[in-house]
Amino acid sequence: MKNYKTLLFALLAFPLMVLAQKKEKDSVIDKPSRPAFESATLIDNPTNVLFNKNTLEVMMQHRFGEINGGTNDLAGFWGASNIRMALAYSLHDRLAIGFGTTKEGRLQDFNWKVGLLKQTRSDKIPLNISYYGNFTIDARPGNRFYTKQDRYSYFHQIILARRFSPNISFQIAPSISHYNTVDSFMENDRFAIAFGGRAKISTQTAILLDYTIPITKFDTDPDTGLEYNNDGVSLGIEFGTSAHTFQIFLTNYRGIVPQQNIMKTTNNFFDGDFLIGFNITRNYNF
């Protein structure tokens, strides 16, 4: 009789145990996946990363001079550099706003990022989708522009990112850049598409790739003969801690604000027109 009662209890309890385990499993796998990238920036392009509400991100971005820019510039370290300092604040887990100032061109950019979809652990949602945009003012003094509106430029980008494994992440990001005023051989709008990847090689170290292809083509500058249709190529390495991210890389992009790079780059990476740069970010949680 005792064995019979034990068997009956097991038969009754087993379905309840299975159901409880299934509910626990479902609650885990339906959670959002871990972020595809460590930083809100992948060398020269934004990523899908949005930090928790009330997080302040402080960023410094630095580009040294071109390595082939002179005979006595120590691989560009003594050449003319470009610097951007920026802040971004997370008003919500899916919304961040920011401001940055760039040395070259005295660019003042107001930017925002919105999280539209988050990849889930169950792959019910297989992608992270975010929108990034900015409004930038060229604040150089003098009579460079006929009207105040001629100083304005804009950038809009949709970021589709996926974390394939704990070590591999990839993103595709189509964009449109707009300048209110451009030279006669250019167009006001340029479409482009960026491809980026991150491969971890240790707990705190990763290899980075960022490749941007301009789709809209411009004529060659008739005055200088310069070509403005070059791809943006960046290769780097990233070191991360709980609150810091440090990226050091080679890139042919001298600008730092995205539309400046996409619209106005004349450097060709494959002709040796590249430079050394780095990005440093620090997050503060309130």
Side-chain angles (χ1 to χ4, degrees), residues 2 22 27 31 42 51 57 77 99 103-104 116 133 142 147 149 166 179 196 203 209 229 237 249 277:
K2 185 177 181 180
K22 184 177 185 302
S27 66
K31 290 183 178 179
L42 179 65
F51 298 106
E57 180 189 35
F77 282 84
F99 171 77
K103 172 186 172 183
E104 195 168 273
L116 303 176
T147 68
Q149 287 74 20
Y179 276 78
T203 305
L209 168 66
N229 297 318
I237 189 167
F249 45 83

Side-chain angles (χ1 to χ4, degrees), residues 17 25 39 75 79 82 92 96 140 242 244 247:
M17 293 171 61
K25 182 179 179 182
S39 172
N82 194 16
H92 187 272
R140 287 177 293 178
S242 58
H244 291 82
Q247 300 173 351

